Amino acid sequence: MDAITLVARTGRAIRLGAGDSIAIVNLFGQQVVDTWAVSAIDPTTVLSMAHSRMANGRLAVEAGDTLVGSDREPMLTLESDTSGGRHDTLIPACDPARYRQLGVVGHHASCATNFRDALQALAVPVPSQVPQPLNLFMNVPVAGDGSLGIEPPTSRPGDRVTLRAVQPVVVVLSACPQDLAPTNGAHHEPRDVELWLRPCPDHTGGRPSS
Ligand SMILES: [Zn+2]
């Protein structure tokens, strides 16, 4: 099993069969990874942060949680997490409009574009709207009055989150290109992330063996 490098500012879509898992390793410690899942059977069904917040009864996610789709069926479990569990489920993916608001003229890589490009690379139909991502390692404190902040991640180099597929899914990951806010640390420098795929030992990863 070899590691896959998710290069800073880029995205990648990966098929997981039921029982397969993927570890997302924060090599440098403070890189946010926008994460989505799309059903491999019905691509109109996507991982839903709103339905997952309802299912788990909290804003954040933590090890042991089940993440559900827009049909309320389990799609992923958050199997383990060494980071201390600061992940965001509220902030939308960065997109070209956000970078224009921040003063960028011309092209700037974005998680929303990475999401679309990664699905297209696997010939998976792209949803008309980019779903709310699970923003792994993103530190968005919620104050008692409901106000939100965006602060540098509290995760450390080598921290990892492992997600396991409950059903066949396409997982999409984007190493967030945000370099105009402390989203990816005070240094404003997006970094590479490492991915480790682990097929379910009971089968061939949900794909028929031939
Ligand atoms: Zn982003």
Coordinates of all heavy atoms in Angstrom, one line a residue, residues 108-180:
H108 N -7.8 31.9 -9.2 CA -7.3 31.4 -7.9 C -7.9 30.0 -7.8 O -9.2 29.8 -7.9 CB -7.7 32.3 -6.8 CG -7.0 32.0 -5.5 ND1 -7.2 30.9 -4.8 CD2 -6.1 32.7 -4.8 CE1 -6.5 30.9 -3.7 NE2 -5.8 32.0 -3.7
A109 N -7.1 29.0 -7.5 CA -7.7 27.7 -7.2 C -8.7 27.7 -6.1 O -8.6 28.6 -5.2 CB -6.5 26.7 -6.8
S110 N -9.7 26.8 -6.1 CA -10.7 26.8 -5.0 C -11.2 25.4 -4.8 O -11.1 24.5 -5.7 CB -11.9 27.7 -5.4 OG -12.6 27.1 -6.4
C111 N -11.7 25.2 -3.6 CA -12.2 23.8 -3.3 C -13.4 23.5 -4.1 O -13.6 22.4 -4.5 CB -12.6 23.8 -1.8 SG -11.1 23.8 -0.7
A112 N -14.3 24.5 -4.4 CA -15.5 24.2 -5.2 C -15.1 23.7 -6.6 O -15.6 22.8 -7.2 CB -16.3 25.5 -5.3
T113 N -14.1 24.4 -7.2 CA -13.6 24.0 -8.6 C -12.9 22.6 -8.5 O -13.1 21.8 -9.3 CB -12.7 25.1 -9.1 OG1 -13.4 26.3 -9.2 CG2 -12.2 24.7 -10.5
N114 N -12.1 22.4 -7.4 CA -11.5 21.1 -7.2 C -12.5 20.0 -7.1 O -12.3 18.9 -7.7 CB -10.6 21.1 -5.9 CG -9.4 21.9 -6.1 OD1 -9.0 22.3 -7.2 ND2 -8.8 22.2 -5.0
F115 N -13.6 20.3 -6.4 CA -14.7 19.3 -6.3 C -15.3 18.9 -7.6 O -15.3 17.7 -8.0 CB -15.8 19.8 -5.4 CG -17.1 19.0 -5.3 CD1 -17.2 17.9 -4.5 CD2 -18.2 19.4 -6.0 CE1 -18.3 17.1 -4.5 CE2 -19.4 18.7 -6.0 CZ -19.4 17.5 -5.2
R116 N -15.6 19.9 -8.4 CA -16.2 19.6 -9.8 C -15.2 18.9 -10.7 O -15.5 17.9 -11.3 CB -16.6 20.9 -10.4 CG -17.8 21.6 -9.7 CD -18.3 22.7 -10.6 NE -19.4 23.4 -9.9 CZ -19.2 24.6 -9.2 NH1 -18.0 25.1 -9.1 NH2 -20.2 25.1 -8.6
D117 N -13.9 19.4 -10.7 CA -12.9 18.8 -11.6 C -12.6 17.3 -11.2 O -12.4 16.5 -12.0 CB -11.6 19.6 -11.5 CG -11.8 21.0 -12.2 OD1 -12.8 21.2 -12.9 OD2 -10.9 21.8 -12.0
A118 N -12.6 17.1 -9.9 CA -12.2 15.7 -9.4 C -13.3 14.7 -9.8 O -13.0 13.6 -10.2 CB -12.0 15.7 -7.9
L119 N -14.6 15.1 -9.7 CA -15.7 14.2 -10.0 C -15.7 14.0 -11.6 O -15.8 12.9 -12.0 CB -17.0 14.8 -9.6 CG -17.3 14.6 -8.1 CD1 -18.7 15.3 -7.8 CD2 -17.4 13.2 -7.6
Q120 N -15.4 15.1 -12.3 CA -15.4 14.9 -13.8 C -14.3 14.0 -14.2 O -14.4 13.2 -15.1 CB -15.2 16.3 -14.4 CG -16.5 17.1 -14.4 CD -16.4 18.5 -15.0 OE1 -15.2 18.9 -15.2 NE2 -17.5 19.1 -15.3
A121 N -13.2 14.0 -13.5 CA -12.0 13.1 -13.8 C -12.4 11.6 -13.7 O -11.8 10.8 -14.3 CB -10.8 13.5 -12.9
L122 N -13.4 11.3 -12.8 CA -13.9 9.9 -12.7 C -15.2 9.7 -13.4 O -15.8 8.7 -13.2 CB -14.1 9.6 -11.2 CG -12.8 9.4 -10.3 CD1 -13.2 8.9 -9.0 CD2 -11.8 8.5 -11.0
A123 N -15.6 10.7 -14.2 CA -16.8 10.6 -15.0 C -18.0 10.4 -14.1 O -19.0 9.7 -14.5 CB -16.7 9.5 -16.1
V124 N -18.0 11.0 -12.9 CA -19.1 11.0 -12.0 C -19.9 12.2 -12.2 O -19.4 13.3 -12.3 CB -18.7 10.9 -10.5 CG1 -19.8 11.0 -9.6 CG2 -17.9 9.6 -10.3
P125 N -21.3 12.1 -12.3 CA -22.1 13.3 -12.5 C -21.9 14.4 -11.4 O -21.8 14.0 -10.2 CB -23.5 12.8 -12.5 CG -23.4 11.4 -12.9 CD -22.1 10.9 -12.4
V126 N -21.7 15.6 -11.8 CA -21.4 16.7 -10.8 C -22.7 17.3 -10.4 O -23.5 17.7 -11.2 CB -20.5 17.7 -11.5 CG1 -20.2 18.8 -10.5 CG2 -19.2 17.1 -12.0
P127 N -22.9 17.3 -9.0 CA -24.2 18.0 -8.6 C -24.2 19.5 -9.0 O -23.2 20.1 -9.2 CB -24.0 17.9 -7.0 CG -23.1 16.8 -6.8 CD -22.1 16.8 -8.0
S128 N -25.4 20.0 -9.2 CA -25.6 21.4 -9.7 C -25.1 22.3 -8.6 O -24.6 23.4 -9.0 CB -27.0 21.7 -10.1 OG -27.9 21.4 -8.9
Q129 N -25.2 22.0 -7.4 CA -24.7 22.8 -6.3 C -23.6 22.1 -5.6 O -23.7 20.9 -5.4 CB -25.8 23.1 -5.3 CG -27.0 23.8 -5.8 CD -26.8 25.3 -6.1 OE1 -26.0 25.9 -5.3 NE2 -27.4 25.9 -7.1
V130 N -22.5 22.8 -5.2 CA -21.5 22.1 -4.4 C -22.0 21.9 -3.0 O -22.4 22.9 -2.3 CB -20.2 23.0 -4.4 CG1 -19.1 22.4 -3.5 CG2 -19.6 23.2 -5.8
P131 N -22.0 20.6 -2.5 CA -22.6 20.4 -1.2 C -21.7 21.0 -0.1 O -20.5 21.3 -0.3 CB -22.6 18.9 -1.1 CG -22.4 18.4 -2.5 CD -21.7 19.4 -3.2
Q132 N -22.3 21.3 1.0 CA -21.6 21.7 2.2 C -20.5 20.6 2.5 O -20.9 19.5 2.8 CB -22.5 21.9 3.4 CG -21.8 22.1 4.7 CD -21.0 23.3 4.8 OE1 -21.4 24.4 4.4 NE2 -19.8 23.2 5.3
P133 N -19.2 21.0 2.5 CA -18.2 20.0 2.8 C -18.1 19.7 4.3 O -18.5 20.6 5.1 CB -16.9 20.6 2.3 CG -17.2 22.1 2.3 CD -18.7 22.3 2.1
L134 N -17.5 18.6 4.7 CA -17.0 18.4 6.0 C -15.5 18.9 5.9 O -14.7 18.4 5.2 CB -16.9 16.9 6.3 CG -16.1 16.5 7.5 CD1 -16.5 17.1 8.8 CD2 -16.0 14.9 7.7
N135 N -15.3 20.0 6.6 CA -14.0 20.7 6.6 C -13.1 20.1 7.6 O -13.0 20.6 8.8 CB -14.2 22.2 6.7 CG -15.0 22.8 5.6 OD1 -14.7 22.6 4.4 ND2 -16.0 23.6 5.9
L136 N -12.4 19.1 7.3 CA -11.5 18.4 8.2 C -10.4 19.4 8.6 O -9.8 20.1 7.8 CB -10.9 17.2 7.6 CG -11.8 16.0 7.4 CD1 -11.1 14.9 6.7 CD2 -12.5 15.5 8.7
F137 N -10.1 19.4 9.9 CA -9.1 20.2 10.6 C -9.4 21.7 10.6 O -8.6 22.5 11.1 CB -7.7 20.0 9.9 CG -7.3 18.5 9.8 CD1 -7.3 17.9 8.5 CD2 -7.1 17.8 10.9 CE1 -6.9 16.6 8.4 CE2 -6.7 16.4 10.8 CZ -6.7 15.8 9.5
M138 N -10.5 22.1 10.0 CA -10.8 23.6 10.0 C -11.4 24.0 11.4 O -12.3 23.4 11.9 CB -11.9 23.9 8.9 CG -12.1 25.4 8.7 SD -13.1 25.7 7.3 CE -13.1 27.5 7.3
N139 N -10.8 25.1 11.9 CA -11.1 25.5 13.3 C -12.0 26.7 13.2 O -11.6 27.9 13.0 CB -9.7 25.9 14.0 CG -9.9 26.3 15.4 OD1 -11.0 26.2 16.0 ND2 -8.9 26.8 16.0
V140 N -13.3 26.5 13.4 CA -14.3 27.5 13.4 C -15.0 27.6 14.8 O -16.0 26.9 15.0 CB -15.3 27.3 12.3 CG1 -16.4 28.3 12.3 CG2 -14.6 27.2 10.9
P141 N -14.4 28.3 15.7 CA -15.1 28.4 17.0 C -16.4 29.1 16.9 O -16.6 30.1 16.2 CB -14.1 29.2 17.9 CG -13.1 29.8 16.9 CD -13.2 29.1 15.6
V142 N -17.4 28.6 17.7 CA -18.7 29.1 17.7 C -18.9 29.7 19.1 O -18.9 29.0 20.1 CB -19.8 28.0 17.4 CG1 -21.2 28.6 17.4 CG2 -19.5 27.3 16.1
A143 N -19.1 31.0 19.2 CA -19.2 31.7 20.5 C -20.7 31.5 21.0 O -21.6 31.1 20.3 CB -18.9 33.2 20.3
G144 N -20.8 31.8 22.3 CA -22.1 31.7 22.9 C -23.2 32.4 22.3 O -24.4 32.0 22.3
D145 N -22.9 33.6 21.6 CA -23.9 34.4 20.9 C -24.1 33.9 19.5 O -24.9 34.5 18.7 CB -23.5 35.9 20.9 CG -22.2 36.1 20.1 OD1 -21.6 35.2 19.6 OD2 -21.8 37.3 20.0
G146 N -23.5 32.8 19.1 CA -23.7 32.2 17.8 C -22.7 32.7 16.8 O -22.7 32.3 15.6
S147 N -21.8 33.7 17.1 CA -20.9 34.2 16.1 C -19.8 33.2 15.8 O -19.4 32.4 16.7 CB -20.3 35.6 16.6 OG -19.6 35.4 17.8
L148 N -19.3 33.3 14.6 CA -18.3 32.3 14.1 C -17.0 33.0 13.9 O -16.9 34.2 13.5 CB -18.8 31.8 12.8 CG -20.1 31.0 12.7 CD1 -20.4 30.7 11.3 CD2 -20.1 29.8 13.6
G149 N -15.9 32.3 14.1 CA -14.6 32.7 13.8 C -13.9 31.7 12.9 O -14.4 30.6 12.7
I150 N -12.8 32.2 12.2 CA -12.0 31.3 11.5 C -10.6 31.5 12.0 O -10.0 32.5 11.8 CB -12.1 31.5 9.9 CG1 -13.5 31.2 9.4 CG2 -11.0 30.6 9.2 CD1 -13.7 31.4 7.9
E151 N -10.1 30.5 12.7 CA -8.8 30.6 13.3 C -7.8 29.5 12.8 O -8.3 28.5 12.2 CB -8.9 30.5 14.8 CG -9.8 31.6 15.4 CD -9.9 31.7 16.9 OE1 -9.3 30.8 17.5 OE2 -10.5 32.6 17.4
P152 N -6.5 29.6 13.0 CA -5.6 28.5 12.5 C -6.0 27.2 13.1 O -6.4 27.1 14.3 CB -4.3 29.0 13.0 CG -4.4 30.5 13.1 CD -5.8 30.8 13.6
P153 N -5.9 26.1 12.4 CA -6.2 24.8 12.9 C -5.3 24.5 14.1 O -4.2 25.0 14.3 CB -5.8 23.9 11.7 CG -6.0 24.7 10.5 CD -5.5 26.1 10.9
T154 N -5.9 23.7 15.0 CA -5.1 23.2 16.2 C -4.5 21.9 16.0 O -3.8 21.4 16.9 CB -6.1 23.1 17.4 OG1 -7.1 22.2 17.1 CG2 -6.7 24.5 17.7
S155 N -4.7 21.3 14.9 CA -4.1 20.0 14.6 C -2.5 20.1 14.4 O -2.0 21.2 14.2 CB -4.7 19.4 13.3 OG -4.9 20.4 12.3
R156 N -1.8 19.0 14.6 CA -0.4 19.0 14.6 C 0.1 18.1 13.4 O -0.6 17.3 12.9 CB 0.1 18.4 15.9 CG -0.3 19.2 17.1 CD -0.6 18.4 18.3 NE -1.7 17.5 18.0 CZ -2.2 16.6 18.9 NH1 -1.7 16.5 20.0 NH2 -3.2 15.8 18.5
P157 N 1.4 18.3 13.1 CA 1.9 17.5 12.0 C 1.8 16.0 12.3 O 2.1 15.5 13.4 CB 3.4 17.8 12.0 CG 3.5 19.2 12.5 CD 2.4 19.3 13.6
G158 N 1.3 15.2 11.3 CA 1.0 13.8 11.5 C -0.3 13.4 12.0 O -0.7 12.2 12.0
D159 N -1.1 14.4 12.4 CA -2.5 14.1 12.8 C -3.3 13.5 11.7 O -3.1 13.9 10.5 CB -3.2 15.3 13.3 CG -2.9 15.6 14.8 OD1 -2.5 14.6 15.5 OD2 -3.1 16.7 15.3
R160 N -4.1 12.5 12.0 CA -4.8 11.8 10.9 C -6.3 11.5 11.3 O -6.6 11.3 12.5 CB -4.1 10.5 10.5 CG -4.1 9.5 11.6 CD -3.6 8.1 11.0 NE -2.3 8.2 10.5 CZ -1.8 7.4 9.5 NH1 -2.5 6.4 9.1 NH2 -0.6 7.5 9.1
V161 N -7.1 11.6 10.3 CA -8.5 11.2 10.4 C -8.8 10.0 9.5 O -8.3 10.0 8.4 CB -9.4 12.4 10.0 CG1 -10.9 11.9 9.9 CG2 -9.3 13.5 11.1
T162 N -9.4 9.0 10.0 CA -9.7 7.8 9.2 C -11.2 7.8 9.0 O -12.0 7.8 10.0 CB -9.2 6.5 9.8 OG1 -7.8 6.6 10.0 CG2 -9.5 5.4 8.9
L163 N -11.7 7.7 7.7 CA -13.1 7.6 7.3 C -13.3 6.2 6.7 O -12.5 5.8 5.9 CB -13.5 8.7 6.3 CG -13.3 10.1 6.7 CD1 -13.5 11.0 5.5 CD2 -14.2 10.5 7.9
R164 N -14.4 5.6 7.1 CA -14.7 4.3 6.5 C -16.0 4.4 5.8 O -17.0 4.9 6.3 CB -14.8 3.2 7.6 CG -15.0 1.8 7.1 CD -15.0 0.7 8.1 NE -13.7 0.6 8.8 CZ -12.7 -0.1 8.3 NH1 -12.8 -0.8 7.1 NH2 -11.6 -0.2 8.9
A165 N -16.1 3.8 4.6 CA -17.3 3.9 3.8 C -18.3 2.8 4.3 O -17.9 1.7 4.5 CB -17.0 3.6 2.3
V166 N -19.5 3.2 4.5 CA -20.6 2.3 4.9 C -21.2 1.7 3.7 O -21.8 0.6 3.7 CB -21.6 3.0 5.8 CG1 -22.7 2.1 6.2 CG2 -20.9 3.6 7.0
Q167 N -21.2 2.4 2.6 CA -21.8 2.0 1.3 C -20.8 2.4 0.2 O -19.9 3.3 0.5 CB -23.1 2.6 1.1 CG -23.1 4.2 1.2 CD -24.4 4.8 0.8 OE1 -24.8 4.8 -0.3 NE2 -25.1 5.3 1.8
P168 N -21.0 2.0 -1.0 CA -20.0 2.4 -2.1 C -20.2 3.9 -2.3 O -21.3 4.4 -2.6 CB -20.5 1.6 -3.3 CG -21.2 0.4 -2.7 CD -21.9 0.9 -1.5
V169 N -19.1 4.6 -2.2 CA -19.1 6.1 -2.4 C -17.9 6.5 -3.2 O -16.9 5.8 -3.4 CB -19.1 6.8 -1.0 CG1 -20.3 6.5 -0.2 CG2 -17.8 6.5 -0.3
V170 N -18.1 7.7 -3.7 CA -16.9 8.4 -4.3 C -16.6 9.5 -3.3 O -17.5 10.4 -3.0 CB -17.2 9.0 -5.6 CG1 -16.0 9.8 -6.2 CG2 -17.6 8.0 -6.6
V171 N -15.4 9.5 -2.7 CA -15.0 10.5 -1.7 C -14.2 11.5 -2.5 O -13.4 11.2 -3.4 CB -14.1 9.9 -0.6 CG1 -13.5 11.0 0.2 CG2 -15.0 9.0 0.3
V172 N -14.5 12.8 -2.2 CA -13.7 13.9 -2.9 C -13.0 14.7 -1.8 O -13.7 15.0 -0.8 CB -14.7 14.8 -3.7 CG1 -13.9 15.8 -4.5 CG2 -15.5 14.0 -4.6
L173 N -11.8 14.9 -2.0 CA -11.0 15.7 -1.0 C -10.3 16.8 -1.7 O -9.8 16.7 -2.8 CB -9.9 14.7 -0.4 CG -10.4 13.4 0.2 CD1 -9.4 12.3 0.2 CD2 -10.9 13.7 1.6
S174 N -10.2 18.0 -1.0 CA -9.5 19.1 -1.6 C -8.6 19.7 -0.5 O -9.1 20.1 0.6 CB -10.6 20.2 -2.0 OG -9.9 21.4 -2.4
A175 N -7.3 19.8 -0.8 CA -6.4 20.5 0.1 C -6.6 22.0 -0.1 O -6.2 22.6 -1.1 CB -5.0 20.1 -0.2
C176 N -7.4 22.6 0.8 CA -7.9 24.0 0.6 C -6.8 25.0 0.2 O -5.8 25.1 0.8 CB -8.6 24.4 1.9 SG -9.3 26.1 1.7
P177 N -7.1 25.7 -1.0 CA -6.1 26.6 -1.5 C -6.1 28.0 -0.8 O -5.4 28.9 -1.3 CB -6.4 26.8 -3.0 CG -7.5 25.8 -3.2 CD -8.2 25.5 -1.9
Q178 N -6.9 28.1 0.3 CA -7.1 29.5 0.9 C -5.7 30.0 1.4 O -5.1 29.4 2.3 CB -8.1 29.4 2.0 CG -8.3 30.6 2.8 CD -8.8 31.8 2.0 OE1 -8.0 32.6 1.5 NE2 -10.1 31.9 1.8
D179 N -5.3 31.1 0.9 CA -4.0 31.7 1.3 C -4.2 33.2 1.6 O -3.2 33.9 1.7 CB -2.9 31.5 0.2 CG -3.4 32.0 -1.2 OD1 -4.4 32.6 -1.3 OD2 -2.6 31.8 -2.1
L180 N -5.4 33.6 1.8 CA -5.7 35.0 2.1 C -6.4 35.1 3.5 O -6.8 36.2 3.9 CB -6.6 35.6 1.1 CG -6.0 35.6 -0.3 CD1 -7.1 35.8 -1.4 CD2 -4.9 36.5 -0.4

